[in-house]
């Protein structure tokens, strides 16, 4: 085992989030010293509670939109701090823009001072509602900068631009990943994106909310496959954007039917108006990932959904326990504090 002083040190922003927490697990398993940083606006300490007490793990409660200081050497920085669900970034658009702009600027500056390589988490949303299908990295996108989704889309587009500026002007070692729809354990029940929405609604016996007529398409990549792609890109010599996602495409209506079969319920769609600027098609061209990284997804949707369903079943059970117990202590005067601690303890039991 490597001496602690010899270990590679990696900073993972958004480390208590869905993707960030899985990255913490992976790099700890690979023998790195992991520094997780999160302001917990959308992250959850329960996702990384199992890592507390490990000698090679530390957590910094901090907003990267403000000055970022990390003592000691840093070899790598993974910038994954950002709201990623429309339900979140429509609620906190200013913070979303700041973490993509000011936060990225701060971390690029830190990487320059430390001599670290930095990988930024961009998104398929830089393509907007695409007119090219499937989406290739050379496509510039079809984005409405002043629409409701603009706070997220443009934050990520700016993030890519400033990262390339640091690479070209300062010679900084940078990597850019464009992440397509990803799912798996540790997604929030109230995340708002289609997969957690469908699974949680089906488990509660509710109708599945389908926006538009359900003909829009998505491509879903299991989180373990995504993490593998991130690791390969980080350690590669390629500095231009790379799509990482699963090219297996499905309509939202077909996906709802798939979830209904998986959970053993009748498919009862609740059709709602399509949100403004919601992409009608989403499928990555992963030619570059295959050729440059030797990467392609290994977990098919059936297996990935089975694993995710088990997590969501436990999560729904925990939510029901929280509701029952909180209702019993509501009259105590310590309702908010007690229920907050209870939620954390119950959520902690979900982490594999």
């Amino acid at each position: 085992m490597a001496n602690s002083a010899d270990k590679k040190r990696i900073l993972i922003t958004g480390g208590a989030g869905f993707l960030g927490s899985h990255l913490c697990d992976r790099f700890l398993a690979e023998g790195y010293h992991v520094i997780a940083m999160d302001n917990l606006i959308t992250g959850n300490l329960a996702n990384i509670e199992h890592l507390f007490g490990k000698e090679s793990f530390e957590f910094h409660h901090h907003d990267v939109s403000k000055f970022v200081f990390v003592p000691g050497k840093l070899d790598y920085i993974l910038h994954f701090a950002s709201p990623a669900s429309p339900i979140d970034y429509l609620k906190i658009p200013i913070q979303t823009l700041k973490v993509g702009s000011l936060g990225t600027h701060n971390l690029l500056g830190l990487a320059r001072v430390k001599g670290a390589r930095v990988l930024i988490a961009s998104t398929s949303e830089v393509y907007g509602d695409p007119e090219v299908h499937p989406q290739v990295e050379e496509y510039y996108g079809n984005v409405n900068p002043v629409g409701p989704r603009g706070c997220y889309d443009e934050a990520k587009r700016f993030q890519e631009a400033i990262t390339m500026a640091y690479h070209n002007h300062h010679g900084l070692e940078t990597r850019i990943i464009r992440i397509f729809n990803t799912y798996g354990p540790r997604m929030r029940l109230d995340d708002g994106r289609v997969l957690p929405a469908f699974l949680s609604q089906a488990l509660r016996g509710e109708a599945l909310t389908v926006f538009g007529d359900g003909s829009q398409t998505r491509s879903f990549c299991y989180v373990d496959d995504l993490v593998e792609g991130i690791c390969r890109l980080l350690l590669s010599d390629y500095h231009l954007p790379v799509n990482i996602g699963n090219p297996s495409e499905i309509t939202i209506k077909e996906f709802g039917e798939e979830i209904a079969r998986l959970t053993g319920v009748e498919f009862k769609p609740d059709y709602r108006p399509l949100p403004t600027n919601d992409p009608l098609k989403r499928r990555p061209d992963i030619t570059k990932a295959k050729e440059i990284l030797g990467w392609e997804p290994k977990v098919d949707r059936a297996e990935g959904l089975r694993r995710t369903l088990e997590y969501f079943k436990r999560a729904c059970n925990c939510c029901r326990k929280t509701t029952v117990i909180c209702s019993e202590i509501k009259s105590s005067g310590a309702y908010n504090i007690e229920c907050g601690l209870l939620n954390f303890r119950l959520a902690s039991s979900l982490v594999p």
Side-chain angles (χ1 to χ4, degrees):
M1 182 178 293
N3 184 287
S4 59
D6 299 329
K7 286 187 174 185
K8 295 284 188 182
R9 285 165 56 87
I10 185 167
L11 170 64
I12 302 175
T13 71
F18 164 48
L19 296 181
S21 64
H22 284 281
L23 287 166
C24 289
D25 286 341
R26 173 62 181 266
F27 282 97
L28 278 169
E30 296 280 350
Y32 287 70
H33 183 95
V34 173
I35 304 158
M37 185 173 287
D38 205 303
N39 65 357
L40 303 178
I41 284 184
T42 58
N44 189 338
L45 283 177
N47 290 334
I48 53 172
E49 188 199 25
H50 62 292
L51 304 178
F52 292 157
K54 290 184 180 290
E55 185 180 350
S56 296
F57 178 77
E58 53 187 281
F59 174 72
H60 294 209
H61 183 199
H62 183 69
D63 181 352
V64 298
S65 297
K66 301 172 183 176
F67 176 75
V68 178
F69 172 73
V70 176
K73 73 166 186 173
L74 270 183
D75 298 287
Y76 303 107
I77 298 172
L78 298 182
H79 183 25
F80 278 72
S82 177
S85 167
I87 202 171
D88 291 327
Y89 61 68
L90 292 176
K91 198 180 300 179
I92 47 173
I94 306 301
Q95 291 94 326
T96 301
L97 283 159
K98 287 173 70 175
V99 74
S101 54
L102 299 177
T104 304
H105 185 214
N106 288 337
L107 292 161
L108 291 168
L110 178 65
R112 189 178 174 214
V113 168
K114 299 287 188 180
R117 178 181 297 177
V118 58
L119 180 149
I120 64 142
S122 187
T123 171
S124 60
E125 294 303 316
V126 299
Y127 300 123
D129 187 9
E131 297 170 333
V132 170
H133 192 72
Q135 291 78 61
V136 294
E137 289 87 348
E138 291 77 16
Y139 177 50
Y140 297 157
N142 176 36
V143 176
N144 178 4
V146 297
R149 302 171 70 98
C151 61
Y152 182 67
D153 300 359
E154 296 299 343
K156 291 297 187 179
R157 287 162 71 92
F158 175 84
Q159 184 182 56
E160 290 194 13
I162 194 172
T163 298
M164 286 304 301
Y166 264 77
H167 174 83
N168 293 326
H169 188 68
H170 293 304
L172 189 67
E173 285 198 44
T174 59
R175 305 291 182 265
I176 300 172
I177 181 172
R178 289 180 180 162
I179 299 171
F180 283 68
N181 296 77
T182 304
Y183 69 99
R186 300 183 198 166
M187 294 191 90
R188 298 189 343 247
L189 289 175
D190 62 349
D191 176 276
R193 284 174 283 192
V194 63
L195 188 143
F198 277 1
L199 274 180
S200 56
Q201 287 173 333
L203 289 171
R204 293 193 299 263
E206 300 171 358
L208 306 191
T209 302
V210 176
F211 292 102
D213 62 4
S215 63
Q216 66 271 39
T217 68
R218 295 294 183 268
S219 305
F220 298 97
C221 182
Y222 189 66
V223 64
D224 289 357
D225 283 331
L226 180 77
V227 167
E228 177 65 25
I230 291 165
C231 293
R232 292 193 185 200
L233 179 58
L234 177 67
L235 300 177
S236 76
D237 295 323
Y238 193 74
H239 70 276
L240 292 173
V242 177
N243 291 336
I244 297 290
N246 192 319
S248 176
E249 187 178 15
I250 187 171
T251 70
I252 295 300
K253 184 178 179 183
E254 289 170 341
F255 187 58
E257 293 168 346
E258 203 169 83
I259 293 293
R261 287 194 298 272
L262 178 70
T263 54
V265 300
E266 180 186 354
F267 177 57
K268 296 181 293 185
D270 176 16
Y271 290 104
R272 305 282 182 89
L274 192 68
T276 303
N277 301 139
D278 195 51
L280 296 181
K281 290 187 179 296
R282 187 68 86 226
R283 178 188 171 196
D285 182 306
I286 60 170
T287 302
K288 278 189 170 60
K290 287 181 177 180
E291 294 178 350
I292 297 169
L293 308 179
W295 177 91
E296 60 183 316
K298 303 296 184 187
V299 181
D300 65 26
R301 196 167 57 245
E303 173 60 19
L305 286 176
R306 185 192 65 76
R307 299 179 194 177
T308 307
L309 175 61
E310 292 307 308
Y311 174 84
F312 270 73
K313 283 179 178 177
R314 298 198 304 273
C316 282
N317 286 336
C318 281
C319 284
R320 281 193 284 269
K321 289 179 184 177
T322 302
T323 301
V324 171
I325 300 172
C326 281
S327 66
E328 292 174 356
I329 64 174
K330 191 169 184 178
S331 61
S332 70
Y335 175 69
N336 291 334
I337 295 174
E338 293 293 337
C339 285
L341 291 171
L342 177 65
N343 270 306
F344 177 74
R345 288 195 296 271
L346 289 171
S348 298
S349 67
L350 299 174
V351 180

